[in-house]
Amino acid sequence: MRNLAKHLKSNSYPLATIGLFFALIPIFFYFNLPFADILTRIFAISIYALSFDLLLGYTGLLNFGQSLFFGMGAYITAYTLNWTEFNFMVALLFSLLVGAILGVILSLIVRRSFKGVPFTFFSLAFVMIILSMFQKRIFRPVSGGEGGILVPLPGILKSIWAIRVFEYGFLGLLAIGLLVAIYKNTRNFSLLQQVPTMLVSSGIIGGIFYFATEHLSYLESAASFERLTANRYYLTLSFLVAIYFLIRRVVSSPVGKVWQSIRENETRTEVIGYNTFNYKLLALAVSGSIAGLAGGLYAPYLLTVSAGNVFDPFITIRALIFAVLGGLGTLKGAILGAGIILLLEHFLNPLIGGWTSILIGIIFIFVVFSMPRGIVGELTVTGGKSFREMVREMVS
Amino acid sequence: MISTLASALIDGLALSMLYFMIASGFSLIFGLEDIVNFAHGSFFMLGAFVSYEVVSYTGSFYLGLLAAGIAMAILAALVESGLLRRKFGNEMAIIMLTLGIMYIIHHGALLRYGAASSTYGTIPSYIQGTLKPGPIIINKYRLFIIVLGFIIAGGVFLFLNRTNVGLIVRAGIDDVDMAKALGANTKRTFTLVFAVGSALAGLGGAAAVGWIYASVDLGLNYLFFAFAIVVIGGLGSFKGTFYAALLAGIIHELFAYYIPFLAGPSLFILMAAVLLLKPEGLLGGATQ
């Protein structure tokens, strides 16, 4: 119990942020529902960018075949929903397992050239062969041809109970996160100051709860596509949060330290006595399973899965842009980068159309050139000061 | 029977020459400064479109080829001196920068041409149609690609072996630090090699338009082909690149004629086999 309290205290800001994102959906319902879909897309792509960052940022492997895992994940979920009686969660589990298996297979194939540029091109070749196979006429029953195969809507996305669980569960999270954060920052206050602060903040949280309950009673009678939007949003966000904390845990574990040491100097790691091949295989399997899961989550968003839109190597190049823009090897950076770029595209596309992609390419080159550590990297390591300290200095 | 085999060999040779034109520049650039140019395939694709545009405006086929080569040389020289040169030694940054350029070219081409593939409206009449010596049918345009490829291969070979700049290039591929220590201006040489290599890629793209059509997909496909050829031939070996291109092109077309199913992955299988049996490439070990 004390351990839990400690965790809550050290993670109160992330918890509050996450809770805030969960609390956003009622607001979307009143103002702009399609915007929730943009965020859903950002969450799913962020999971993919995280899997990419895990490989490049922590193990130093530049995998251009990452979209193989993503695409297979999407296809497996579509197959499971189409051809079997299993529900969405089992389908996601299958996607995850297939991603891990493909990661192991890929590492066994490239075993002789499992580093640097040769690995990059080998994995690129792998995904391009699968892509061209899937576009052949013989594979039409499996791939769905040009049009792709339809993804039936998973039951969980339509259910009202899922919404209730998500809504109350994560509003609770928000409340706890906010209260702990406020408590942490008001500890030095005198009792006279502390009591009103707590009262006001409790009032705000209560207000949010009231708002959400109102909204929930609205959802009970809402059209099914609205419920679908809300459920998809919550589900993807929950997975993003879970995967984020999972990866953060893994990269600070002993295994993660070995990965980072492989990134820094593989020969030395090998000389110390680690079997680097096994560690790289593990990294590829973990990253593959996460990418597979991302594909599975993205499938109901796409509605149809076709080889051209899930195996495209440019999906991977985009993930690379997200990770590098936010900061390689920071995890937060991958999510931030995906958010910035996708929002930019969302707002600029109606204005300048395809020129957005060119603008993004230019921004990417600029970032590589002038802030090689990415946004999060530059903010957190400048002069050994944290971002919060810098802000505090600027204010005082 | 014999006519099928002959067509397969002619097509194979023509494809080899396209492979050679993209891989030779890639190989020289990699050999000299250890730079992996991810935008190399995009230069090939852009060259194809530049040539297509010029030919459709002016109607002159050779002007199109020339324009593709020159435009790619200028673009490459700008990219090298403006961006890449300042990040020499930082392998990851170079990869990111060339990827960024590739991303921009790819999306720029998508913006202009979309998913369409285009070919020349007019080409000179003497490279249209077919030759028919006996039972064999030879497509004249493919013959033209073969001749062009051999001319370029001969030119690059002479440049490397008979000129002073070529001497510096070969010395740089062998040991860049030693070449610098002996007073060779490897930086200026590298700019030249980068420009010439990209010009060859652009020329290859321009030649490809009349046969396999210009499309946005060429960029990524030919980037991979270039890399595979360089791996098969051996890193840093120019002759190896030439022989590997011949081998890969002919094998691809033989498969395409007799076992179509394996034509797509043939290059991949060849690369995997070479990496397993002789990881330094066919002629890679010879220079060391």
Side-chain angles (χ1 to χ4, degrees):
Chain A
M1 206 57 215
R2 267 184 63 197
N3 218 346
L4 181 72
K6 222 170 85 186
H7 266 291
L8 277 179
K9 259 188 204 170
S10 61
N11 284 325
S12 61
Y13 284 107
L15 279 179
T17 322
I18 295 160
L20 201 66
F21 266 106
F22 277 101
L24 276 178
I25 197 86
I27 299 168
F28 292 143
F29 265 92
Y30 291 106
F31 296 109
N32 188 0
L33 196 59
F35 195 73
D37 266 347
I38 310 295
L39 287 185
T40 311
R41 193 156 152 244
I42 292 177
F43 299 150
I45 295 294
S46 293
I47 298 179
Y48 183 62
L50 280 178
S51 81
F52 188 84
D53 193 22
L54 178 68
L55 266 190
L56 182 60
Y58 287 91
T59 323
L61 290 172
L62 176 54
N63 182 6
F64 262 21
Q66 192 81 353
S67 61
L68 175 73
F69 310 134
F70 183 80
M72 272 302 171
Y75 264 111
I76 294 294
T77 295
Y79 295 155
T80 315
L81 293 178
N82 269 321
W83 301 337
T84 66
E85 296 295 311
F86 292 117
N87 67 22
F88 189 47
M89 289 299 147
V90 182
L92 287 180
L93 186 67
F94 286 160
S95 297
L96 194 137
L97 287 177
V98 167
I101 292 167
L102 281 173
V104 172
I105 292 175
L106 181 62
S107 22
L108 289 176
I109 289 179
V110 299
R111 124 169 255 159
R112 286 295 288 268
S113 47
F114 203 171
K115 63 173 104 170
V117 177
F119 170 70
T120 304
F121 277 95
F122 242 109
S123 49
L124 175 67
F126 210 58
V127 76
M128 276 164 67
I129 284 170
I130 300 283
L131 174 61
S132 69
M133 288 283 187
F134 265 58
Q135 282 170 339
K136 289 248 162 67
R137 196 172 279 276
I138 322 167
F139 283 90
R140 214 186 164 85
V142 189
S143 69
E146 287 281 307
I149 49 177
L150 216 65
V151 186
L153 275 184
I156 186 172
L157 295 186
K158 293 182 231 162
S159 94
I160 191 85
W161 279 103
I163 289 200
R164 286 184 187 151
V165 170
F166 283 135
E167 203 101 294
Y168 285 121
F170 293 103
L171 277 173
L173 198 71
L174 171 69
I176 293 171
L178 277 179
L179 280 178
V180 173
I182 292 163
Y183 171 74
K184 216 165 79 177
N185 286 326
T186 56
R187 230 175 344 182
N188 303 332
F189 287 16
S190 69
L191 195 65
L192 211 63
Q193 288 165 313
Q194 225 171 35
V195 169
T197 327
M198 286 315 253
L199 276 179
V200 169
S201 47
S202 310
I204 294 171
I205 291 165
I208 293 176
F209 261 93
Y210 174 74
F211 194 47
T213 332
E214 280 285 287
H215 152 69
L216 202 65
S217 56
Y218 164 72
L219 268 189
E220 305 262 348
S221 60
S224 66
F225 92 91
E226 294 179 319
R227 225 184 286 159
L228 173 76
T229 306
N231 265 332
R232 202 157 51 183
Y233 177 93
Y234 283 134
L235 191 74
T236 322
L237 179 54
S238 323
F239 270 106
L240 175 62
V241 171
I243 296 282
Y244 171 74
F245 282 107
L246 184 88
I247 296 184
R248 216 176 66 163
R249 184 82 186 76
V250 170
V251 295
S252 54
S253 71
V255 174
K257 295 290 175 210
V258 178
W259 285 345
Q260 287 164 52
S261 127
I262 289 175
R263 177 192 67 192
E264 295 302 325
N265 191 333
E266 184 167 351
T267 321
R268 197 172 288 177
T269 317
E270 207 155 3
V271 169
I272 294 171
Y274 290 103
N275 184 342
T276 51
F277 173 76
N278 288 350
Y279 280 94
K280 284 188 286 188
L281 183 143
L282 187 65
L284 204 56
V286 171
S287 164
S289 61
I290 295 168
L293 179 75
L297 279 171
Y298 203 54
Y301 184 86
L302 279 174
L303 298 176
T304 57
V305 175
S306 71
N309 65 14
V310 292
F311 284 127
D312 188 2
F314 272 86
I315 301 177
T316 312
I317 296 178
R318 284 167 65 82
L320 177 126
I321 291 180
F322 301 152
V324 170
L325 181 72
L328 271 181
T330 57
L331 295 184
K332 270 180 222 144
I335 302 174
L336 184 72
I340 291 175
I341 298 284
L342 288 174
L343 284 180
L344 202 66
E345 278 182 350
H346 173 69
F347 288 116
L348 287 184
N349 259 339
L351 301 177
I352 55 175
W355 289 96
T356 324
S357 300
I358 294 171
L359 182 71
I360 286 167
I362 293 169
I363 293 175
F364 174 68
I365 288 182
F366 175 77
V367 165
V368 171
F369 220 88
S370 56
M371 32 199 277
R373 285 191 224 90
I375 297 172
V376 174
E378 295 285 340
L379 287 182
T380 46
V381 295
T382 320
K385 280 177 212 141
S386 76
F387 178 56
R388 216 173 292 158
E389 281 169 7
M390 278 166 56
V391 172
R392 220 166 266 169
E393 262 178 27
M394 255 189 273
V395 173
S396 62
Chain B
M1 177 57 208
I2 185 97
S3 66
T4 324
L5 187 64
S7 313
L9 287 178
I10 294 285
D11 285 7
L13 267 177
L15 188 64
S16 302
M17 290 308 134
L18 293 184
Y19 282 176
F20 169 73
M21 280 188 254
I22 181 129
S24 55
F26 192 80
S27 161
L28 287 177
I29 292 166
F30 184 82
L32 202 54
E33 283 285 356
D34 276 2
I35 282 179
V36 181
N37 182 11
F38 278 87
H40 206 68
S42 306
F43 289 153
F44 183 89
M45 180 258 282
L46 201 58
F49 279 120
V50 166
S51 171
Y52 166 74
E53 290 288 345
V54 170
V55 171
S56 54
Y57 273 112
T58 64
S60 164
F61 175 67
Y62 291 104
L63 200 63
L65 290 190
L66 201 64
I70 292 174
M72 287 313 108
I74 294 172
L75 180 65
L78 286 179
V79 164
E80 199 274 335
S81 55
L83 290 174
L84 301 187
R85 187 179 290 177
R86 300 177 196 187
K87 291 284 178 186
F88 271 4
N90 184 348
E91 196 188 355
M92 196 48 106
I94 297 270
I95 289 179
M96 300 294 167
L97 286 176
T98 53
L99 267 175
I101 293 157
M102 169 190 170
Y103 191 83
I104 293 176
I105 295 179
H106 177 88
H107 282 92
L110 269 185
L111 200 61
R112 177 87 172 77
Y113 303 100
S117 43
S118 349
T119 188
Y120 294 131
T122 51
I123 49 174
S125 56
Y126 52 87
I127 50 173
Q128 278 178 16
T130 52
L131 285 174
K132 286 177 192 144
I136 303 167
I137 299 169
I138 301 172
N139 184 313
K140 280 192 206 159
Y141 190 81
R142 285 166 214 182
L143 205 59
F144 166 75
I145 295 181
I146 296 172
V147 173
L148 181 72
F150 272 103
I151 292 173
I152 287 176
V156 176
F157 190 76
L158 285 180
F159 164 73
L160 283 179
N161 286 299
R162 291 278 183 276
T163 63
N164 283 338
V165 184
L167 185 70
I168 297 177
V169 174
R170 278 184 297 141
I173 290 174
D174 223 32
D175 186 340
V176 74
D177 293 326
M178 188 53 90
K180 271 180 203 158
L182 292 174
N185 189 345
T186 52
K187 272 199 171 163
R188 198 188 297 160
T189 314
F190 181 70
T191 312
L192 181 75
V193 166
F194 198 85
V196 171
S198 308
L200 291 186
L203 208 57
V209 178
W211 178 22
I212 50 177
Y213 291 29
S215 72
V216 176
D217 292 339
L218 285 182
L220 203 56
N221 289 338
Y222 273 75
L223 171 67
F224 167 65
F225 295 160
F227 180 77
I229 302 281
V230 170
V231 164
I232 293 169
L235 295 173
S237 164
F238 182 73
K239 265 190 206 162
T241 307
F242 184 71
Y243 292 133
L246 279 184
L247 188 69
I250 291 175
I251 285 182
H252 182 277
E253 287 303 318
L254 284 178
F255 273 129
Y257 273 81
Y258 293 104
I259 322 169
F261 187 73
L262 281 178
S266 68
L267 194 55
F268 178 70
I269 296 168
L270 200 62
M271 181 168 101
V274 167
L275 276 177
L276 278 177
L277 302 174
K278 201 165 179 299
E280 70 275 14
L282 291 182
L283 294 184
T287 50
Q288 267 110 44

